[in-house]
Amino acid sequence: MSAPADPAELVGLRADERLLGSDAAALPESERFAELPVRSRRRGAIVGAGATLTGVSLIGGALLALAGIVLAIAGGLAWAGSVNQGRGVIVATRDLPVGALIGPGDLAVASARLDD
C-alpha cells in the first residue's frame, strides 16, 4: 500500500503558520474566536417549541396540499359530469308495430348531440 497523501498536496495550498499555533493573540482580529454566549435555561424549551411548530407546519401543509389535490380532482369530475353532452330525446326501447299502444317501458330518454 502507498503512504497516505498529504492534504496540502491534494488542495494545493499551505496553511498560514499563524493559524496553526496555540497563541490566539497572534491571530488577526477577524480570525479570533469570540466567546460563546452563556446558554439560557429556556433555550431548550424554545428550540423544542420551534421544532414542534416546524413539524406541525410541515404536516399541516402536506395535508392541505393533499386536500387541494383531492378537491381539484373531485371538482374536475363534477364539472365533467355536469357539462351538457347533448340534449335529451325520447326514444323507443323496442320496435313497435304501426298503431300499437305505447305502454310502460316502451320509451326512454337518451342524450343526443343535435345541431341547433
PDB file of all heavy atoms in Angstrom, residues 64-78:
ATOM      1  N   LEU A  64     -52.896  19.992   3.729  1.00  0.00           N
ATOM      2  CA  LEU A  64     -53.623  20.969   2.912  1.00  0.00           C
ATOM      3  C   LEU A  64     -53.363  20.751   1.424  1.00  0.00           C
ATOM      4  O   LEU A  64     -54.285  20.875   0.607  1.00  0.00           O
ATOM      5  CB  LEU A  64     -53.220  22.387   3.310  1.00  0.00           C
ATOM      6  CG  LEU A  64     -53.830  22.903   4.614  1.00  0.00           C
ATOM      7  CD1 LEU A  64     -53.257  24.272   4.957  1.00  0.00           C
ATOM      8  CD2 LEU A  64     -55.331  22.965   4.513  1.00  0.00           C
ATOM      9  N   ALA A  65     -52.131  20.421   1.067  1.00  0.00           N
ATOM     10  CA  ALA A  65     -51.824  20.149  -0.339  1.00  0.00           C
ATOM     11  C   ALA A  65     -52.588  18.917  -0.822  1.00  0.00           C
ATOM     12  O   ALA A  65     -53.147  18.905  -1.925  1.00  0.00           O
ATOM     13  CB  ALA A  65     -50.324  19.959  -0.527  1.00  0.00           C
ATOM     14  N   LEU A  66     -52.629  17.885   0.013  1.00  0.00           N
ATOM     15  CA  LEU A  66     -53.365  16.669  -0.339  1.00  0.00           C
ATOM     16  C   LEU A  66     -54.856  16.963  -0.478  1.00  0.00           C
ATOM     17  O   LEU A  66     -55.509  16.503  -1.426  1.00  0.00           O
ATOM     18  CB  LEU A  66     -53.135  15.585   0.710  1.00  0.00           C
ATOM     19  CG  LEU A  66     -53.799  14.240   0.461  1.00  0.00           C
ATOM     20  CD1 LEU A  66     -53.248  13.612  -0.813  1.00  0.00           C
ATOM     21  CD2 LEU A  66     -53.594  13.314   1.631  1.00  0.00           C
ATOM     22  N   ALA A  67     -55.402  17.763   0.443  1.00  0.00           N
ATOM     23  CA  ALA A  67     -56.822  18.130   0.350  1.00  0.00           C
ATOM     24  C   ALA A  67     -57.084  18.939  -0.919  1.00  0.00           C
ATOM     25  O   ALA A  67     -58.113  18.752  -1.576  1.00  0.00           O
ATOM     26  CB  ALA A  67     -57.241  18.930   1.590  1.00  0.00           C
ATOM     27  N   GLY A  68     -56.162  19.821  -1.276  1.00  0.00           N
ATOM     28  CA  GLY A  68     -56.323  20.591  -2.509  1.00  0.00           C
ATOM     29  C   GLY A  68     -56.323  19.711  -3.739  1.00  0.00           C
ATOM     30  O   GLY A  68     -57.113  19.921  -4.669  1.00  0.00           O
ATOM     31  N   ILE A  69     -55.458  18.713  -3.750  1.00  0.00           N
ATOM     32  CA  ILE A  69     -55.401  17.795  -4.893  1.00  0.00           C
ATOM     33  C   ILE A  69     -56.696  16.995  -4.995  1.00  0.00           C
ATOM     34  O   ILE A  69     -57.277  16.855  -6.073  1.00  0.00           O
ATOM     35  CB  ILE A  69     -54.180  16.865  -4.768  1.00  0.00           C
ATOM     36  CG1 ILE A  69     -52.894  17.669  -4.963  1.00  0.00           C
ATOM     37  CG2 ILE A  69     -54.249  15.710  -5.752  1.00  0.00           C
ATOM     38  CD1 ILE A  69     -51.631  16.911  -4.618  1.00  0.00           C
ATOM     39  N   VAL A  70     -57.173  16.483  -3.850  1.00  0.00           N
ATOM     40  CA  VAL A  70     -58.411  15.696  -3.845  1.00  0.00           C
ATOM     41  C   VAL A  70     -59.588  16.562  -4.298  1.00  0.00           C
ATOM     42  O   VAL A  70     -60.416  16.137  -5.116  1.00  0.00           O
ATOM     43  CB  VAL A  70     -58.666  15.094  -2.445  1.00  0.00           C
ATOM     44  CG1 VAL A  70     -60.077  14.528  -2.327  1.00  0.00           C
ATOM     45  CG2 VAL A  70     -57.633  14.021  -2.144  1.00  0.00           C
ATOM     46  N   LEU A  71     -59.669  17.793  -3.778  1.00  0.00           N
ATOM     47  CA  LEU A  71     -60.770  18.677  -4.170  1.00  0.00           C
ATOM     48  C   LEU A  71     -60.684  19.074  -5.642  1.00  0.00           C
ATOM     49  O   LEU A  71     -61.710  19.202  -6.310  1.00  0.00           O
ATOM     50  CB  LEU A  71     -60.780  19.924  -3.284  1.00  0.00           C
ATOM     51  CG  LEU A  71     -61.237  19.692  -1.840  1.00  0.00           C
ATOM     52  CD1 LEU A  71     -61.081  20.967  -1.029  1.00  0.00           C
ATOM     53  CD2 LEU A  71     -62.667  19.196  -1.805  1.00  0.00           C
ATOM     54  N   ALA A  72     -59.481  19.255  -6.153  1.00  0.00           N
ATOM     55  CA  ALA A  72     -59.330  19.591  -7.569  1.00  0.00           C
ATOM     56  C   ALA A  72     -59.801  18.439  -8.455  1.00  0.00           C
ATOM     57  O   ALA A  72     -60.496  18.656  -9.453  1.00  0.00           O
ATOM     58  CB  ALA A  72     -57.875  19.925  -7.877  1.00  0.00           C
ATOM     59  N   ILE A  73     -59.447  17.224  -8.086  1.00  0.00           N
ATOM     60  CA  ILE A  73     -59.885  16.062  -8.868  1.00  0.00           C
ATOM     61  C   ILE A  73     -61.401  15.899  -8.770  1.00  0.00           C
ATOM     62  O   ILE A  73     -62.080  15.689  -9.777  1.00  0.00           O
ATOM     63  CB  ILE A  73     -59.147  14.789  -8.393  1.00  0.00           C
ATOM     64  CG1 ILE A  73     -57.670  14.880  -8.768  1.00  0.00           C
ATOM     65  CG2 ILE A  73     -59.786  13.532  -8.982  1.00  0.00           C
ATOM     66  CD1 ILE A  73     -56.810  13.787  -8.178  1.00  0.00           C
ATOM     67  N   ALA A  74     -61.941  16.036  -7.537  1.00  0.00           N
ATOM     68  CA  ALA A  74     -63.396  15.897  -7.368  1.00  0.00           C
ATOM     69  C   ALA A  74     -64.137  16.999  -8.119  1.00  0.00           C
ATOM     70  O   ALA A  74     -65.167  16.740  -8.759  1.00  0.00           O
ATOM     71  CB  ALA A  74     -63.751  15.927  -5.884  1.00  0.00           C
ATOM     72  N   GLY A  75     -63.618  18.216  -8.064  1.00  0.00           N
ATOM     73  CA  GLY A  75     -64.255  19.310  -8.791  1.00  0.00           C
ATOM     74  C   GLY A  75     -64.201  19.104 -10.293  1.00  0.00           C
ATOM     75  O   GLY A  75     -65.163  19.393 -11.009  1.00  0.00           O
ATOM     76  N   GLY A  76     -63.089  18.600 -10.780  1.00  0.00           N
ATOM     77  CA  GLY A  76     -62.971  18.315 -12.213  1.00  0.00           C
ATOM     78  C   GLY A  76     -63.930  17.243 -12.665  1.00  0.00           C
ATOM     79  O   GLY A  76     -64.551  17.352 -13.726  1.00  0.00           O
ATOM     80  N   LEU A  77     -64.074  16.207 -11.837  1.00  0.00           N
ATOM     81  CA  LEU A  77     -65.020  15.141 -12.184  1.00  0.00           C
ATOM     82  C   LEU A  77     -66.461  15.646 -12.132  1.00  0.00           C
ATOM     83  O   LEU A  77     -67.283  15.298 -12.987  1.00  0.00           O
ATOM     84  CB  LEU A  77     -64.842  13.946 -11.248  1.00  0.00           C
ATOM     85  CG  LEU A  77     -63.530  13.177 -11.404  1.00  0.00           C
ATOM     86  CD1 LEU A  77     -63.413  12.104 -10.327  1.00  0.00           C
ATOM     87  CD2 LEU A  77     -63.416  12.565 -12.784  1.00  0.00           C
ATOM     88  N   ALA A  78     -66.774  16.478 -11.138  1.00  0.00           N
ATOM     89  CA  ALA A  78     -68.130  17.027 -11.043  1.00  0.00           C
ATOM     90  C   ALA A  78     -68.417  17.938 -12.228  1.00  0.00           C
ATOM     91  O   ALA A  78     -69.519  17.910 -12.792  1.00  0.00           O
ATOM     92  CB  ALA A  78     -68.297  17.788  -9.729  1.00  0.00           C
TER      93      ALA A  78
END
